[in-house]
Amino acid sequence: MSSPSPSLSSDEFDENEVPDAALKGLLQKELELQLLIDSLQTEIAQLEERIAGGKDKGNQEELDEKDLEEFEAPEWCVPIKANVMTFDWDSLAAETQFDVIVTDPPWQLATHAPTRGVAIAYQQLPDICIEEIPIPKLQKNGFIFIWVINNKYAKAFQLMERWGYTYVDDITWVKQTVNRRMAKGHGYYLQHAKETCLVGKKGDDPPNCRRSVGSDVIFSERRGQSQKPEELYELIEELVPDGKYLEIFGRKNNLRDYWVTVGNEL
């Protein structure tokens, strides 16, 4: 049995060297399809370049303006739109120390080809970049809440230790649909219907700290992309009333009165 014929380029294909008419037709068809594929790949590359280069800026500005018109930030929130990696954390730390820090790092997935159903709407960061955020400067005593994905549990515990925290608890957010059913999402082996937030503590309890409050399980509707449940913020405010609160890698849909929120998606 003869092996399949290799793909031919337009320079290599010479129909005079192919004796069988049917085979000639198939090879010609293959060549035409290959040329079509090459043309489509070129168009895709050009579209990606246009998007990356901001050539659709006009349309994007129109969408942004519409988005801003529909969104109203809480009156007493403190949003700081900035690149977390280059922000002047020293100045903020000199101004105030925080009782509670919440962070939802844009963890880098284990693969560049995410599993089906994953929608990445933000730039992922390698672990070494997340490590460099000067958390120790921002808090001498208090709590840190770190949202973590499945393949970053070990790294999150390492970060806690690196930044001077002791793991004390974790919170599970069970995602629900508008009909209060479990909102299952992507997963490699199992479908995922929850997210986990690890809780660490450093130094003494912050002023007004309470104990045995709330619950370590939140049942709440899944809303916008990367939007965390409001119940977490309510729990934190119950745990440390009238505290000084900071969120890092925050997004505008989680802006909250009396919170300082730093992120480039505000």
Side-chain angles (χ1 to χ4, degrees), residues 183-199:
K184 297 179 181 179
H186 63 277
Y188 193 82
Y189 291 108
L190 304 176
Q191 290 184 338
H192 296 166
K194 68 174 179 63
E195 287 191 36
T196 300
C197 184
L198 304 180
V199 185

Side-chain angles (χ1 to χ4, degrees), residues 52-85:
K55 292 186 179 181
D56 292 326
K57 185 177 178 182
N59 292 336
Q60 186 60 49
E61 287 180 348
E62 185 179 337
L63 289 172
D64 289 344
E65 288 177 6
K66 182 178 179 182
D67 198 27
L68 286 172
E69 288 174 2
E70 295 176 352
F71 176 75
E72 290 186 12
E75 183 177 2
W76 303 108
C77 69
V78 184
I80 302 175
K81 184 173 182 178
N83 184 333
V84 170
M85 303 313 303

Side-chain angles (χ1 to χ4, degrees), residues 2-255:
S2 60
S3 59
S5 301
S7 299
L8 298 177
S9 68
S10 56
D11 293 331
E12 295 172 330
F13 177 58
D14 184 355
E15 61 181 28
N16 294 325
E17 296 179 3
V18 183
D20 185 86
L23 183 57
K24 283 183 183 179
L26 290 173
L27 290 174
Q28 183 63 42
K29 187 67 174 178
E30 180 186 12
L31 178 59
E32 292 171 357
L33 289 172
Q34 186 60 51
L35 291 173
L36 178 59
I37 291 170
D38 292 342
S39 175
L40 290 172
Q41 288 177 334
T42 300
E43 289 183 25
I44 291 170
Q46 290 173 345
L47 285 171
E48 290 176 341
E49 185 178 350
R50 286 179 60 195
I51 293 171
K55 292 186 179 181
D56 292 326
K57 185 177 178 182
N59 292 336
Q60 186 60 49
E61 287 180 348
E62 185 179 337
L63 289 172
D64 289 344
E65 288 177 6
K66 182 178 179 182
D67 198 27
L68 286 172
E69 288 174 2
E70 295 176 352
F71 176 75
E72 290 186 12
E75 183 177 2
W76 303 108
C77 69
V78 184
I80 302 175
K81 184 173 182 178
N83 184 333
V84 170
M85 303 313 303
T86 58
F87 179 63
D88 185 6
W89 293 109
D90 288 341
S91 295
L92 182 62
E95 188 67 27
T96 187
Q97 291 287 293
F98 292 93
D99 300 315
V100 179
I101 297 175
V102 175
T103 181
D104 182 18
W107 299 106
Q108 192 168 56
L109 297 176
T111 172
H112 292 294
T115 54
R116 188 177 70 176
V118 180
I120 302 302
Y122 49 82
Q123 180 65 44
Q124 299 173 56
L125 286 178
D127 294 346
I128 191 170
C129 292
I130 298 172
E131 289 175 2
E132 294 306 311
I133 301 171
I135 297 291
K137 295 182 179 180
L138 299 165
Q139 187 179 65
K140 292 184 175 63
N141 301 288
F143 296 95
I144 189 168
F145 291 72
I146 305 177
W147 288 101
V148 63
I149 60 177
N150 278 12
N151 68 324
K152 293 297 181 180
Y153 274 85
K155 187 61 191 180
F157 284 118
Q158 290 174 11
L159 285 176
M160 275 195 184
E161 184 176 359
R162 176 188 178 97
W163 291 335
Y165 294 88
T166 300
Y167 164 77
V168 294
D169 224 323
D170 60 73
I171 298 168
T172 298
W173 169 28
V174 180
K175 299 180 181 181
Q176 295 180 312
T177 67
V178 292
N179 297 319
R180 313 302 289 176
R181 297 179 182 273
M182 191 176 293
K184 297 179 181 179
H186 63 277
Y188 193 82
Y189 291 108
L190 304 176
Q191 290 184 338
H192 296 166
K194 68 174 179 63
E195 287 191 36
T196 300
C197 184
L198 304 180
V199 185
K201 181 176 174 292
K202 178 167 67 172
D204 299 326
D205 288 349
N208 303 322
C209 180
R210 298 174 179 173
R211 298 192 177 187
S212 192
V213 301
S215 171
D216 61 355
V217 179
I218 294 172
F219 294 90
S220 180
E221 182 183 331
R222 180 180 61 189
R223 295 178 290 172
Q225 174 71 28
S226 299
Q227 186 171 1
K228 302 308 180 189
E230 187 175 349
E231 289 85 346
L232 176 78
Y233 302 90
E234 294 171 350
L235 175 62
I236 289 171
E237 291 167 1
E238 184 181 1
L239 176 67
V240 185
D242 302 319
K244 297 178 180 178
Y245 314 114
L246 170 66
E247 182 167 15
I248 302 175
F249 295 111
R251 296 171 178 84
K252 66 181 182 181
N253 50 24
N254 283 125
L255 291 175

